[in-house]
């Protein structure tokens, strides 16, 4: 049988943990009730499972269970937070602030609102991927209603100063939303200490199922009003109608529980694996680290490789490993990543980049294999590149 490539794309999604799957299975068959069925046992047992997962999520971020709304994932949570706040508060102000390096699930709803007449300020990032808090302070206007800054970046893993941003926003009575899709279960998140008013979460980045997420919406000090974006049966206190997907919610709760329990030891293990990878790759020379050298997710390593063609690099790596590159295919052409260009990387270095997303099931032996194959691929591509440039310029 063909050997499957080593999976190193854990920022894109993660394999589901067997323990999560085991917790979910009875809720597809045996406990299949609709949690909204309040008149019988089947509804009650489904509702009890949803309640337990909601409590797990709430306590993971120091919120109350009533402040957690289940959604289909972080994309929906981002849309609900941004459009929901904009619609509920447009008479107070129409100015929104975010950052150029955000995920498209943030940028696209913001541009959508811009087309409807809202004003948008997108802050730049510094060459290490962090925002300059002074620029944020200067960007705030009397009509600013929302600031949205992600907790951890999906491409370069950079951790933004969420607590500082939260304090700045709270002092000025502006709502603060954070997309924590990549951060949940990997770094401590505390909505009280960090003054977070809305937070997007998702299960499939932490070894849980796909298609389930949540939005934290602050209920007091201050209370955030939100205009629902899905209307129907009035589920989730009217903020997100639609029958709750009980097995996925149970899986989400289990995934959060495991991630929190193992966060400390896993952070240490991933830090060591990333170090093993980075130190060996860096010996090649002309390999550039994308993002801040210390303020990053433990398992994320994003590098740009000089002297190679990006597409050839990815093709060379593919037989042994599954990684992402710094380019995105749109319908018509391949474009360099907007995150890497925001750091000031040239198009060539943005194309010739690799995102290694190390996760729970990767081993040190796998990292050794990845190092060896990556080094030999880069060395042979550089030789090809050198002979091409010699052929075109022999003197
Ligand atoms: C930072 C960030 N936001 C939002 C999303 C979208 O999450 P979901 O797939 O749950 O809709 C992702 C996933 O790629 C992400 O990394």
């Amino acid at each position: 049988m063909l050997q499957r490539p080593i999976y190193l794309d854990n920022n894109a999604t993660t394999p589901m943990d067997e323990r999560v799957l085991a917790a979910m299975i009875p809720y597809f068959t045996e406990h299949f009730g609709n949690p909204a069925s309040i008149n019988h046992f089947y509804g009650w047992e489904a509702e009890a499972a949803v309640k337990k997962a909601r409590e797990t999520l709430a306590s993971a971020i120091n919120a109350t269970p009533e402040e957690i709304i289940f959604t289909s994932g972080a994309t929906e949570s981002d849309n609900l937070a941004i459009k929901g706040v904009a619609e509920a508060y447009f008479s107070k102000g129409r100015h929104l602030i975010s950052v150029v390096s955000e995920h498209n699930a943030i940028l696209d709803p913001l541009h959508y609102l811009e087309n409807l007449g809202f004003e948008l300020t997108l802050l730049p990032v510094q060459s290490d991927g962090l925002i300059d808090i002074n620029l944020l302070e200067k960007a705030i206007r009397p009509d600013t209603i929302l600031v949205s800054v992600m907790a951890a970046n999906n491409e370069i893993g950079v951790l933004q100063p969420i607590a500082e941003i939260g304090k700045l926003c709270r002092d000025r009575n502006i709502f603060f939303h954070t997309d924590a899709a990549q951060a949940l279960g990997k770094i401590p998140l505390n909505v009280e200490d960090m003054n977070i008013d809305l937070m997007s979460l998702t299960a499939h980045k932490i070894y849980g199922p796909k298609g389930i997420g949540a939005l934290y919406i602050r209920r007091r000090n201050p209370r955030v009003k939100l205009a629902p974006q899905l209307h129907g049966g009035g589920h989730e206190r009217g903020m997100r109608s639609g029958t709750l997907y009980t097995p996925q919610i149970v899986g989400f709760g289990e995934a959060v529980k495991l991630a929190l329990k193992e966060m400390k030891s896993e952070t240490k293990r991933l830090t060591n694996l990333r170090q093993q990878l980075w130190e060996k790759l860096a010996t090649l020379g002309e390999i550039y680290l994308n993002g801040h050298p210390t303020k990053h997710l433990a398992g994320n390593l994003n590098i740009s490789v000089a002297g190679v063609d990006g597409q050839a690099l990815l093709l060379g790596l593919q037989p042994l490993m599954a990684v992402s590159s710094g380019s995105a295919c749109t319908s018509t052409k391949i474009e360099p990543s907007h995150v890497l260009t925001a750091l000031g990387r040239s198009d060539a270095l943005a194309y010739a980049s690799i995102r290694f997303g190390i996760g729970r099931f990767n081993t040190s032996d796998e990292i050794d294999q990845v190092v060896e194959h990556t080094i030999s691929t880069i060395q042979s591509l550089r030789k090809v590149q050198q002979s091409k440039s010699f052929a075109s310029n022999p003197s």
Side-chain angles (χ1 to χ4, degrees):
M1 201 175 75
L2 253 181
Q3 212 192 326
R4 288 156 70 81
I6 297 168
Y7 189 74
L8 275 180
D9 203 13
N10 287 282
N11 295 104
T13 194
T14 54
M16 206 154 73
D17 193 301
E18 300 276 354
R19 294 168 290 181
V20 172
L21 181 63
M24 290 170 66
I25 283 175
Y27 290 89
F28 286 105
T29 49
E30 203 181 337
H31 314 301
F32 59 85
N34 184 336
S37 299
I38 54 170
N39 297 319
H40 55 72
F41 177 81
Y42 294 87
W44 301 334
E45 63 180 5
E47 169 53 20
V50 168
K51 183 167 178 268
K52 191 170 149 216
R54 206 188 292 279
E55 284 166 358
T56 304
L57 249 83
S59 78
I61 59 169
N62 194 22
T64 62
E66 301 73 42
E67 293 174 313
I68 302 291
I69 297 295
F70 286 111
T71 65
S72 63
T75 302
E76 186 188 330
S77 300
D78 287 344
N79 273 266
L80 176 56
I82 290 170
K83 294 178 192 164
V85 164
E87 202 181 319
Y89 292 93
F90 74 94
S91 54
K92 187 173 168 233
R94 296 184 186 193
H95 182 230
L96 311 159
I97 300 178
S98 190
V99 183
V100 285
S101 55
E102 292 286 316
H103 193 276
N104 283 332
I106 296 288
L107 297 174
D108 285 2
L110 288 170
H111 289 308
Y112 168 82
L113 290 170
E114 209 180 7
N115 284 335
L116 292 183
F118 283 83
E119 281 184 62
L120 175 62
T121 300
L122 285 182
L123 301 171
V125 288
Q126 304 169 118
S127 60
D128 57 12
L130 290 174
I131 67 159
D132 176 346
I133 197 97
N134 297 315
L135 286 186
L136 170 60
E137 194 170 2
K138 280 189 200 135
I140 291 174
R141 312 191 319 208
D143 61 341
T144 306
I145 53 172
L146 181 71
V147 169
S148 182
V149 181
M150 73 202 316
N153 187 276
N154 47 301
E155 291 191 36
I156 54 177
V158 161
L159 304 175
Q160 297 291 356
I162 292 306
E164 264 181 86
I165 300 169
K167 168 119 190 23
L168 191 78
C169 293
R170 182 62 50 82
D171 288 348
R172 286 158 184 75
N173 289 321
I174 297 163
F175 292 137
F176 172 43
H177 167 251
T178 186
D179 176 341
Q182 296 282 346
L184 177 67
K186 297 176 195 149
I187 57 165
L189 293 169
N190 184 321
V191 293
E192 289 307 323
D193 294 353
M194 296 172 162
N195 289 304
I196 295 167
D197 299 312
L198 300 120
M199 176 156 59
S200 301
L201 307 167
T202 192
H204 74 101
K205 312 281 186 188
I206 50 166
Y207 315 92
K210 294 172 184 53
I212 187 75
L215 180 65
Y216 157 75
I217 309 168
R218 179 175 286 281
R219 295 246 294 175
R220 53 188 76 80
N221 305 323
R223 183 186 182 94
V224 181
K225 279 188 295 171
L226 215 58
Q229 303 298 307
L230 276 182
H231 304 91
H235 306 78
E236 300 296 84
R237 299 193 345 273
M239 277 191 265
R240 201 276 186 182
S241 288
T243 299
L244 290 175
Y245 196 176
T246 311
Q248 309 300 95
I249 291 172
V250 168
F252 195 2
E254 192 64 19
V256 168
K257 193 179 94 190
L258 293 171
L260 287 200
K261 196 168 111 210
E262 296 168 6
M263 190 192 301
K264 213 166 151 202
S265 56
E266 190 58 3
T267 301
K268 202 165 154 214
R269 199 184 70 86
L270 292 175
T271 302
N272 290 338
L273 291 180
R274 180 189 182 277
Q275 192 66 6
Q276 181 184 342
L277 183 58
W278 171 232
E279 274 176 6
K280 300 221 173 100
L281 293 181
T283 59
L284 268 175
E286 291 197 85
I287 306 274
Y288 305 103
L289 178 70
N290 292 318
H292 196 279
T294 56
K295 294 175 183 168
H296 59 76
L297 291 170
N300 174 287
L301 177 69
N302 191 315
I303 58 167
S304 282
V305 183
V308 302
D309 172 70
Q311 209 50 26
L313 177 61
L314 200 60
L315 283 175
L317 298 180
Q318 265 167 7
L320 187 96
M321 67 192 88
V323 288
S324 273
S325 81
S327 57
C329 287
T330 64
S331 50
T332 48
K333 54 181 192 276
I334 299 178
E335 294 201 2
S337 137
H338 72 281
V339 176
L340 298 184
T341 48
L343 303 182
R345 287 278 179 243
S346 64
D347 282 4
L349 279 180
Y351 283 128
S353 70
I354 317 166
R355 176 183 71 180
F356 297 96
I358 311 168
R360 184 178 288 170
F361 303 110
N362 291 121
T363 62
S364 175
D365 176 55
E366 284 180 335
I367 299 298
D368 280 341
Q369 293 178 51
V370 165
V371 165
E372 200 185 306
H373 186 78
T374 308
I375 289 181
S376 68
T377 306
I378 293 172
Q379 280 171 335
S380 47
L381 288 174
R382 279 183 175 167
K383 267 192 206 133
V384 174
Q385 203 82 353
Q386 274 161 7
S387 52
K388 265 193 205 160
S389 56
F390 180 73
S392 61
N393 190 11
S395 62

